[in-house]
Each structure stands twice: as C-alpha cells, then as structure tokens.
Amino acid sequence: MSNGQFIRGARVGSAPPRHPERHQPVPCRSVSYWCRNGHRTDIRLAAEVQAPPTWDCPRCGLPAGPDAHDPPGRVRAEPYKSHLAYVKERRTEAEGEAILAEALAALRRRRGSR
Ligand SMILES: [Zn+2]
C-alpha cells in the first residue's frame, strides 16, 4: 500500500508539471441559429462566452436566431412596416382633419362676412 503510494507520487512528481485546466480542451458548446430561409448554422462558443442574440447566416446573410420557429428577420420586418403604416395613417388622418377644419372655418368666415 505504502509502496504503491510512493511510486505513484514519485511518478507524478517526476513528470513535467501539468495544469489540468490547461491540458483539457477549452469547454465549449455549440449553438444553433436559424434564419428566415430555414438555414441552420451551428457555431461553437466557449462556455464562458454568452451566445449573441442573432448570428448572420453565412448562406444568405440574413440574421439568424436561436429559435427555429421564430427567426429574427421576420420579427424585425413586421413591426417596422406596421409602425410606418400606422404613422402614415395617423398623418393622413390628421392632415385630413386639419384640411376639413380649415375648409369649414373658411366657409363659416365667408358666410359670416357676407
Ligand atoms: Zn440563411
């Protein structure tokens, strides 16, 4: 028992010093991203690195997200369009109201003056 322990200890001591953390491969994980066109991209990240929310698809260049059913390209495009449409709608509505109010005021002024 004691002999075995001595031999084992002597072997470890005679070997060049090794740091177990250094010797092992860097712990990594693979993260999958899907783009709007259904391309899957697997990237490897070090375990300590936080996965980015989006990753540009190397095949088509579209932003890809970690959720296969909800790629970021689709999410980004819709609110942008609807917001623009909403602003346009509001503007034309307000403009229309202003034009109507102006016209009515002008009409009343003309009627009042006459
Ligand atoms: Zn793609």
Side-chain angles (χ1 to χ4, degrees), residues 6-110:
F6 174 75
I7 290 165
R8 221 176 137 198
R11 271 186 189 163
V12 168
S14 62
R18 283 179 182 176
H19 300 282
E21 285 176 18
R22 226 185 192 180
H23 188 64
Q24 282 172 4
V26 181
C28 28
R29 61 205 168 107
S30 65
V31 185
S32 300
Y33 288 90
W34 286 267
C35 78
R36 216 178 355 163
N37 293 330
H39 301 141
R40 185 181 155 173
T41 310
D42 291 327
I43 58 164
R44 285 188 77 97
L45 292 170
E48 67 217 28
V49 176
Q50 203 181 353
T54 58
W55 190 266
D56 286 342
C57 175
R59 288 194 228 179
C60 64
L62 285 171
D67 190 347
H69 302 289
D70 192 15
R74 196 183 295 163
V75 176
R76 194 187 281 175
E78 276 180 14
Y80 184 72
K81 271 186 187 173
S82 65
H83 178 71
L84 244 180
Y86 179 70
V87 169
K88 273 186 184 172
E89 227 170 72
R90 266 195 78 185
R91 188 178 285 174
T92 49
E93 200 179 294
E95 276 176 5
E97 262 178 46
I99 288 163
L100 191 72
E102 221 172 271
L104 279 173
L107 204 69
R108 275 172 194 159
R109 246 179 268 149
R110 276 184 206 163

